[in-house]
Amino acid sequence: MKKYIQPLLPVLTLYIVLLGAGLSIPGLWQPIAFIMFYVVLGQALNMFLGMTGYVDFGYVAFLGLGAYGMALAFSLFTDDGLGSGIIVVGFLMAVIFSILLSMAVGAIALRLRGAYFAIATIGVSEGFKYLIEGARLWGGSEGIIISSQLRDSFGSEMANYLSTFASDILIFAIGILAAILTVYTLHTRAGYALMALREDEDAAKVMGVNVTKYKVMAFGMSAVFAGLIGASAWTLKLTYVFPEDVFNIIYTVEAIVIVMLGGAGTLAGPVVGGLIYGILRYYLATVLPGFQLLVVAPLLVLIVTVFPDGVVGYIKRKLKGSRFSKYVI
Amino acid sequence: MLEAENLETGYGPMQILWGITIKAEKQSITTIIGPNGAGKTTILRAIMGMIQPWNGKITYDGDDVTMLPPHKKVERGLSMVLEGRHLFGGMTVKENLILGAYTKQARERLDDSLEIVYTLFPILKERSTQKAGTLSGGQQQMLAIARALMTRPKLIMLDEPSQGLAPIVVEQVMDTLKKLREELEITILLVEQNVLVSYHTADYTYIIENGQVVKEGEPSECIDIQEIRKAYLGV
C-alpha cells in the first residue's frame, strides 16, 4: 500500500492546494480550473503516450466524442425524467463513444509502429470534424447547445452551479482517478510490460509480453479519460459543443507538449507539465494576448534540448538513490 | 524439438521464404548460414511468430505452434536474442535481467535465474548496476543472451550474435552457447553470417539462399572449408 501512497502524496497535495486556493482566494477559481484542464488532459494522454511511446495525433477526437456523448444525452433524454441521472447517462455515453473509437482506431492503427502510427492517426480528428459538418450529423456545424435542457433538468440556479463550479470539481475528480490508476499501473506487471514495450517493442515480444494487449489497454484507458474530460470540461462547463472547437488539433498538440514537458511515463510528469503549461498559457493570454499559442514552439525546443526526459524525468534522475525517490515516480 | 516444414512467408506482397524445412534436434546447436538477404532472420521471426507464416507448419515439442503469438511461445520455453541485441540501454544490467523474467513462471524463478546467469557471466554480476548501454559490445551480447535465459527457455534462437564483435569475443560467445547446451540442456538455433564460426560450433547446418535451403548436413559435410578459404581469404 505504501508504495502506492508515497508517489501519490505530492500529486494529491498539489490538487488540494489548488482546490483550496481556488475556493478561498477570490478570482482564482477560473484560472485554476483553466490550469487543471491542462493537468488532467496531460494525465489522460500520458496513459497512452507516456506508457507506450506511441504518439496519437488524433487524440482530441476522444475528447470531442466525449463532449458529444454528454451533449447527446441531454438533447435525446431531457424529456425522459431522468433528473440528475442524465449526467450519469451522459458520462456513460462519453465513455462508450471513446471506447468504440479507440477500438476502431486501435484495430487499424495500432498495427503500425512509431511514426506510421502518428501519421495514420492525424486524420482521425479532422475526419470527424468534416464528417459531422458535412453529413450534418448531430447538428452539423451548428453543434449542440444544451443550456436550455440543462435549465429544464436542473432549474436555472442548479444549471448555473453545474457549469460554473461542479464541472470543474469533476475535472479534479477525474484527475485524482487518473493519478490513482497511473500509480497502480506503474506498479503492476502491466507497468513492466508497458515499460518494456515503450523501450523496445521487439525485445518486449521475445520476453513474452503480449504487446497488442497492453497497447490496446493503454489506448482504451487513455481514451476513456479523454472522453470524461471532454464531457465535463467542455459540454457541462460551456453548455455547447461545436465540431470545430472540440476536434481542434491544437489540443492534441498541447497535450503532447504537456506530457513531454513534464516527463512521459511518469506519474507526476503530466501534472507538472500541465501546471507549467497552463500557467504560461493563462497569464501570457493576459500579458501578450494573441501570442499565447506561440509559447508551444519554444517550449518544445526547450524540452528536447534541456529536458529530454521532461522536468519530472530530470528530477527523478537527480533523486535516484535518495530517500525522496519513492515520492517521485 | 523444433521443426519448421515448408515455411513460406514475407513482408507485404514480397515473399521471402519459399518452402523452408529445418529442424533443431534437442540439445543441439543448429546453424543457419547464407548471404545477406537470403531470409535467415525472416526464418527466426516467423518461427517466433513476429511475422505470420503464410504457409507451412511449425511444431515445437510435438505441438503445432504455427499461429501462436510470440508471448505464448515464450511461455512454452522458446526465446530469441534479436539481431543488434535490443537491450534497454538506459536501464542497468540487473534491471534488464529482471525485465527479462517477465512471464509468470519466469518471475517465480527470478532469484534462481539470476544466480544461473551470474554464474555463467560473472562480468554481468560485477556490472549489475551499470547502464546496459555503457557495456562493451561483447558484454552487451552476453547480457542479451542472459536476458533471454531469464525467460527459462528450452530453446534459444540467436540472430547473428557475432555481429560487430572482435574474433576473440566471438569465440567467447560461441563457448557460452556450447555451455548453455551442455550445462542447461538448451537447444540452440543460430543464424550466422560468420561461416567459420558456424563451422566450428554447429552440430548441424543449413545453408540458405534466396529463401530456400540449398544444402544441409553436418558442418564438415556441407561446408567446403577450402572453398570458403578461397572466397574469404583468396588462398
Side-chain angles (χ1 to χ4, degrees):
Chain A
M1 215 39 209
K2 210 169 147 197
K3 67 179 179 184
Y4 296 121
I5 306 261
Q6 280 172 331
L8 275 174
L9 270 178
V11 174
L12 295 183
T13 311
L14 180 79
Y15 285 168
I16 291 167
V17 169
L18 284 177
L19 196 62
L23 289 174
S24 55
I25 302 169
L28 219 53
W29 185 252
Q30 274 321 308
I32 281 179
F34 179 88
I35 291 162
M36 267 313 281
F37 168 76
Y38 285 109
V39 168
V40 180
L41 178 66
Q43 285 184 291
L45 180 64
N46 185 48
M47 287 180 180
F48 179 63
L49 168 66
M51 300 285 189
T52 64
Y54 277 66
V55 180
D56 179 359
F57 272 110
Y59 192 67
V60 69
F62 295 123
L63 285 106
L65 277 194
Y68 267 102
M70 179 61 87
L72 284 171
F74 275 97
S75 62
L76 294 174
F77 306 125
T78 301
D79 304 329
D80 293 353
L82 291 166
S84 52
I86 198 162
I87 289 190
V88 180
V89 175
F91 277 120
L92 218 61
M93 283 178 68
V95 167
I96 291 169
F97 279 10
S98 30
I99 287 181
L100 286 179
L101 179 64
S102 78
M103 289 198 303
V105 175
I108 301 162
L110 278 179
R111 293 167 196 270
L112 307 168
R113 295 234 192 138
Y116 298 102
F117 175 83
I119 292 164
T121 51
I122 287 180
V124 175
S125 54
E126 293 295 301
F128 260 104
K129 183 168 78 187
Y130 292 119
L131 177 73
I132 289 171
E133 287 179 353
R136 303 203 151 275
L137 191 68
W138 300 339
S141 54
E142 276 108 72
I144 301 175
I145 298 166
I146 62 159
S147 44
S148 68
Q149 285 93 331
L150 261 177
R151 273 198 306 277
D152 291 348
S153 299
F154 299 100
S156 64
E157 203 171 308
M158 186 65 190
N160 197 24
Y161 174 78
L162 199 65
S163 59
T164 54
F165 183 72
S167 59
D168 298 330
I169 293 290
L170 279 169
I171 286 294
F172 271 98
I174 294 166
I176 291 167
L177 205 65
I180 293 170
L181 202 64
T182 304
V183 168
Y184 179 73
T185 311
L186 285 173
H187 280 108
T188 53
R189 267 165 60 79
Y192 288 115
L194 288 165
M195 192 200 293
L197 111 80
R198 183 184 62 209
E199 297 295 321
D200 192 320
E201 196 163 333
D202 276 338
K205 273 187 190 168
V206 299
M207 275 161 36
V209 175
N210 185 349
V211 290
T212 314
K213 177 175 126 186
Y214 288 109
K215 277 193 290 189
V216 169
M217 204 183 81
F219 197 44
M221 215 161 75
S222 176
V224 165
F225 274 87
L228 293 175
I229 296 169
S232 62
W234 287 348
T235 312
L236 285 181
K237 190 175 166 76
L238 307 173
T239 72
Y240 59 79
V241 181
F242 293 133
E244 66 266 37
D245 292 348
V246 300
F247 292 110
N248 191 341
I249 197 165
I250 185 68
Y251 293 107
T252 304
V253 178
E254 288 181 309
I256 293 170
V257 170
I258 288 164
V259 172
M260 304 306 276
L261 168 67
T266 64
L267 166 72
V271 178
V272 173
L275 200 64
I276 297 173
Y277 185 80
I279 292 172
L280 275 176
R281 180 107 153 66
Y282 188 86
Y283 289 101
L284 278 179
T286 50
V287 182
L288 290 168
F291 287 92
Q292 67 269 29
L293 278 178
L294 258 182
V295 72
V296 177
L299 251 185
L300 263 175
V301 175
L302 189 78
I303 298 162
V304 289
T305 49
V306 187
F307 297 117
D309 307 327
V311 176
V312 171
Y314 177 81
I315 295 173
K316 224 172 97 175
R317 214 170 45 235
K318 289 280 160 203
L319 287 179
K320 201 163 189 182
S322 82
R323 65 200 165 93
F324 297 110
S325 65
K326 291 190 188 72
Y327 293 92
V328 183
I329 66 166
Chain B
M1 185 80 184
L2 179 84
E3 200 178 342
E5 268 177 89
N6 272 318
L7 202 57
E8 287 188 14
T9 190
Y11 303 96
M14 188 149 96
Q15 184 160 355
I16 307 288
L17 302 184
W18 301 81
I20 295 269
T21 299
I22 57 165
K23 222 189 229 178
E25 296 291 347
K26 204 173 167 92
Q27 243 187 296
S28 70
I29 297 181
T30 307
T31 56
I32 301 172
I33 57 178
N36 271 334
K40 303 185 297 293
T41 298
T42 309
I43 296 174
L44 294 195
R45 293 179 75 88
I47 292 175
M48 196 65 204
M50 299 174 81
I51 57 169
Q52 262 187 13
W54 297 351
N55 263 315
K57 190 174 161 192
I58 300 161
T59 28
Y60 169 74
D61 240 355
D63 300 326
D64 183 349
V65 296
T66 315
M67 285 302 166
L68 283 189
H71 65 275
K72 294 270 184 209
K73 287 185 175 134
V74 174
E75 280 171 18
R76 285 172 181 244
L78 225 87
S79 189
M80 182 167 170
V81 178
L82 297 160
E83 183 181 4
R85 297 155 204 153
H86 286 259
L87 295 170
F88 303 121
M91 293 184 207
T92 66
V93 169
K94 196 171 176 187
E95 284 166 344
N96 266 277
L97 293 173
I98 292 172
L99 261 182
Y102 167 81
T103 60
K104 258 199 190 93
Q105 65 263 45
R107 180 116 313 195
E108 280 159 15
R109 296 159 78 181
L110 175 64
D111 295 325
D112 181 42
S113 308
L114 272 179
E115 202 167 313
I116 291 173
V117 300
Y118 282 157
T119 323
L120 210 54
F121 308 105
I123 185 76
L124 295 184
K125 189 174 188 180
E126 264 172 56
R127 302 280 165 98
S128 66
T129 55
Q130 193 176 322
K131 290 250 167 75
T134 63
L135 297 174
S136 74
Q139 290 161 357
Q140 288 193 13
Q141 193 59 57
M142 301 292 184
L143 179 55
I145 296 172
R147 192 179 63 188
L149 286 175
M150 296 300 288
T151 64
R152 301 305 287 245
K154 289 184 237 160
L155 185 147
I156 294 189
M157 300 190 281
L158 298 102
D159 196 352
E160 298 202 21
S162 69
Q163 198 184 56
L165 299 181
I168 180 129
V169 185
V170 174
E171 218 163 284
Q172 285 169 10
V173 172
M174 293 305 144
D175 286 343
T176 312
L177 295 185
K178 287 180 190 158
K179 245 197 223 167
L180 296 185
R181 176 185 55 175
E182 265 119 55
E183 291 171 19
L184 302 174
E185 301 181 1
I186 290 173
T187 310
I188 289 163
L189 181 59
L190 178 66
V191 155
E192 260 307 333
Q193 275 213 59
N194 190 331
V195 182
L196 284 174
V197 161
S198 181
Y199 185 82
H200 293 295
T201 319
D203 300 312
Y204 202 84
T205 297
Y206 292 89
I207 301 178
I208 310 284
E209 260 169 45
N210 296 322
Q212 283 170 318
V213 177
V214 291
K215 219 172 189 187
E216 64 176 287
E218 283 174 27
S220 53
E221 296 167 9
C222 76
I223 302 175
D224 184 345
I225 206 79
Q226 295 304 335
E227 203 178 298
I228 287 164
R229 285 219 175 106
K230 215 189 259 165
Y232 277 72
L233 307 169
V235 291

